[in-house]
Amino acid sequence: FGDSRHVDIKPNSRSSISNTREITVAPTRSVGDSRHVDVKANRSRSNTREIGLKPNRSSSREVGVVKPRRTISNTREVDIKPQLKLKVVSEVLNEQSKQKFSNKLEELDEVNRLRGKARQHKEISDMYFNQIKMQPDRMLRNTALSNHKRELDLMRSTNQKAADTIYDINNRNRSINIVDLHQLFVSEAKQKVDEAMSLWQSKSVTSAAFIVGKGLHSGSRGGKLGPEIKKYIDKKFQHAECGLDANNSGKLNVKLNVSKFN
């Protein structure tokens, strides 16, 4: 059977020889093709084996482990940024300014505490006052009256401490001809106006101002301090002219006539 190719070839017909060769070669090529197909199939199997190995490769596992490590390092860098910002801010703010700010907060807390304590004395004073009206016994009325006056005095002294603290905070490091009366009661502000007028007279100040606020937190009726202080200055100080600032409704400008100083 190995010589079957030579048997099929006819020497008398070249065309037939070529044809038979083509015919006989064709199955040979088909066999080769089939082998080639088998090889391809084997290659495809090898490819499938390689694909199947991918999930088991250590490199894929290492990639899966490396990614969270990178994210962890990134999150650590993000967490450090606010600390760096705080460090920069702390370097910009020197120790002296931070201490001043801390002291101011403590002083404001002290003012609130004093104001609260003064309200308590006022409530107790009102209670004793009601006892005076309702007490038939004369001796008990006198005792209630004494307690009433004592509580009023404690209220005034406590409010005075609060007013002095507020005035010191508002006018610290301020020029001599500008006085801030913010957060003061009208009676307390009038006292500070007297002190300022006396100081300006001794220093021969001719132009000054009082900061009274715009009354933004006073409701629909507007600020009470500004109009009361203007009325007080116009009535008491004849050598001074007081008027509202054209550009700032929370400021009273004061013109002082040196020649009329007593």
Side-chain angles (χ1 to χ4, degrees):
F1 288 91
D3 296 331
S4 60
R5 292 184 182 177
H6 298 282
V7 173
D8 293 333
I9 296 172
K10 294 179 181 181
N12 295 327
S13 178
R14 294 181 180 178
S15 60
S16 61
I17 291 169
S18 60
N19 291 332
T20 53
R21 284 180 181 177
E22 290 176 359
I23 291 168
T24 54
V25 169
T28 306
R29 289 180 180 178
S30 63
V31 172
D33 292 336
S34 63
R35 290 178 183 177
H36 184 67
V37 170
D38 293 337
V39 171
K40 287 184 178 179
N42 293 332
R43 289 181 183 178
S44 63
R45 289 178 184 177
S46 63
N47 290 333
T48 54
R49 288 178 183 178
E50 290 178 358
I51 295 170
L53 289 175
K54 285 184 178 179
N56 297 326
R57 287 183 179 179
S58 59
S59 59
S60 62
R61 293 180 181 178
E62 291 177 358
V63 171
V65 175
V66 169
K67 286 183 179 179
R69 287 180 182 176
R70 290 177 181 175
T71 56
I72 291 171
S73 62
N74 292 333
T75 54
R76 287 179 181 175
E77 291 178 358
V78 172
D79 294 337
I80 291 172
K81 287 181 180 179
Q83 297 177 0
L84 293 176
K85 290 180 180 179
L86 292 176
K87 184 178 180 180
V88 171
V89 171
S90 62
E91 289 176 355
V92 173
L93 296 175
N94 54 30
E95 293 297 330
Q96 185 177 3
S97 62
K98 289 191 292 185
Q99 186 64 35
K100 287 181 179 179
F101 183 74
S102 178
N103 292 339
K104 186 175 181 180
L105 291 179
E106 292 178 0
E107 290 172 341
L108 291 174
D109 290 339
E110 179 64 14
V111 169
N112 292 331
R113 188 189 69 81
L114 291 172
R115 290 300 194 192
K117 190 175 180 180
R119 286 192 294 269
Q120 292 178 357
H121 289 303
K122 180 64 169 59
E123 293 174 357
I124 297 173
S125 175
D126 293 341
M127 181 187 67
Y128 283 125
F129 183 76
N130 292 330
Q131 290 181 2
I132 294 171
K133 296 187 295 182
M134 299 176 60
Q135 186 59 248
D137 186 79
R138 181 178 179 180
M139 184 177 294
L140 293 177
R141 284 201 305 271
N142 291 336
T143 302
L145 179 61
S146 177
N147 292 332
H148 168 70
K149 292 180 178 180
R150 185 189 73 247
E151 293 298 326
L152 282 179
D153 291 339
L154 291 173
M155 180 196 70
R156 294 189 186 100
S157 62
T158 305
N159 275 329
Q160 187 62 48
K161 291 179 181 179
D164 292 339
T165 305
I166 293 172
Y167 183 83
D168 181 65
I169 294 173
N170 292 338
N171 295 278
R172 192 176 296 160
N173 300 324
R174 192 181 290 275
S175 60
I176 190 175
N177 62 334
I178 298 178
V179 174
D180 194 341
L181 303 176
H182 264 112
Q183 299 177 337
L184 295 178
F185 297 149
V186 174
S187 59
E188 298 168 351
K190 289 179 179 179
Q191 180 184 355
K192 298 302 180 183
V193 168
D194 293 341
E195 295 175 1
M197 286 293 188
S198 177
L199 178 63
W200 292 340
Q201 180 178 352
S202 64
K203 300 293 183 180
S204 299
V205 176
T206 58
S207 179
F210 289 106
I211 307 299
V212 294
K214 299 179 181 180
L216 299 177
H217 304 286
S218 301
S220 59
R221 293 179 297 177
K224 181 180 179 181
L225 185 60
E228 289 291 335
I229 295 302
K230 185 181 184 306
K231 187 188 300 183
Y232 180 74
I233 293 174
D234 292 340
K235 183 178 180 179
K236 185 173 182 179
F237 301 98
Q238 301 299 324
H239 62 280
E241 296 179 3
C242 182
L244 194 65
D245 190 278
N247 299 320
N248 188 355
S249 60
K251 182 180 179 182
L252 293 175
N253 294 324
V254 181
K255 298 296 183 180
L256 302 170
N257 192 343
V258 180
S259 62
K260 293 183 179 180
F261 284 163
N262 296 329

